[in-house]
Amino acid sequence: HCQKVFKRVYDMDSTIDPGSYHTFGLRAISHKERIQFIEHYLSKKIDTPSLVIIDGIADLVSDVNNIEETNAVVQKLMEWSAKYNCHIINVIHNNYGTAKMTGHLGSFLEKKCETHIELEANTVNKEWITVKCKRSRGYAFETFSFKVNELGLPIMVENLYDPLK
């Protein structure tokens, strides 16, 4: 699955330099080893990272409700973004049945994030994903939807249907 998702970027834009796009599946290593791996890679393997995406930030802690551990990870993210002058995107799930991000980690991340984006299944058109800007310190954006086409690529959906308008 990871390889399929990683390859999707090249399918969408064949002009991407393979030397500037690095992807890793880190499931087989512990949360501490993941942090060490990311830190090592940023400091030794990439000249100037501009964007780091961590899909599964909760996998960098053993307990999303451990205040010390979650604070340490958020501090590490802030350190990396300052040291490497890069933007860091984190993916974290909401608690089931609520709009709150998971655990203390979610709360800490929400306080520090520049832009909080929420994706949710569209309730009217089941194959669509609706993207909302929950909060932004910079540039907010209008809600939009996308769907995944038959090639597995995301495409924008025109004429967003909003039953409340």
Side-chain angles (χ1 to χ4, degrees):
H1 179 72
C2 287
Q3 291 303 320
K4 181 178 168 184
V5 172
F6 297 160
K7 184 181 174 300
R8 185 179 295 161
V9 172
Y10 291 114
D11 291 342
M12 293 174 67
D13 184 357
S14 61
T15 65
I16 292 175
D17 173 15
S20 66
Y21 176 66
H22 309 262
T23 58
F24 306 97
L26 304 178
R27 275 187 173 214
I29 61 177
S30 74
H31 66 281
K32 289 179 183 177
E33 291 171 314
R34 290 173 189 173
I35 294 169
Q36 292 169 349
F37 176 88
I38 294 167
E39 186 148 51
H40 172 78
Y41 206 84
L42 290 174
S43 67
K44 306 285 189 216
K45 303 290 184 183
I46 302 175
D47 289 332
T48 53
S50 56
L51 176 64
V52 175
I53 301 172
I54 302 173
D55 185 354
I57 188 69
D59 294 333
L60 299 187
V61 296
S62 65
D63 178 2
V64 295
N65 285 310
N66 180 308
I67 292 176
E68 291 82 19
E69 194 175 15
T70 58
N71 187 47
V73 166
V74 172
Q75 290 301 321
K76 185 57 73 177
L77 294 171
M78 291 170 46
E79 174 190 324
W80 291 337
S81 69
K83 183 175 182 179
Y84 302 110
N85 191 28
C86 65
H87 189 81
I88 301 175
I89 296 174
N90 295 291
V91 177
I92 187 168
H93 294 276
N94 287 347
N95 288 317
Y96 185 75
T98 74
K100 289 183 145 193
M101 291 186 279
T102 305
H104 289 306
L105 178 60
S107 298
F108 283 25
L109 287 170
E110 189 169 19
K111 288 177 188 171
K112 298 296 181 183
C113 74
E114 176 188 334
T115 305
H116 176 183
I117 299 170
E118 182 178 81
L119 279 67
E120 64 181 18
N122 188 291
T123 56
V124 176
N125 297 292
K126 303 294 185 196
E127 71 278 4
W128 295 5
I129 302 295
T130 299
V131 182
K132 298 177 183 179
C133 182
K134 297 286 286 188
R135 184 172 48 83
S136 179
R137 295 179 190 205
Y139 300 100
F141 58 85
E142 294 295 319
T143 298
F144 67 94
S145 289
F146 71 92
K147 65 180 180 178
V148 178
N149 70 13
E150 61 280 352
L151 300 174
L153 301 175
I155 57 171
M156 295 287 294
V157 175
E158 300 296 325
N159 301 323
L160 178 65
Y161 171 73
D162 183 351
L164 299 178
K165 287 188 176 180

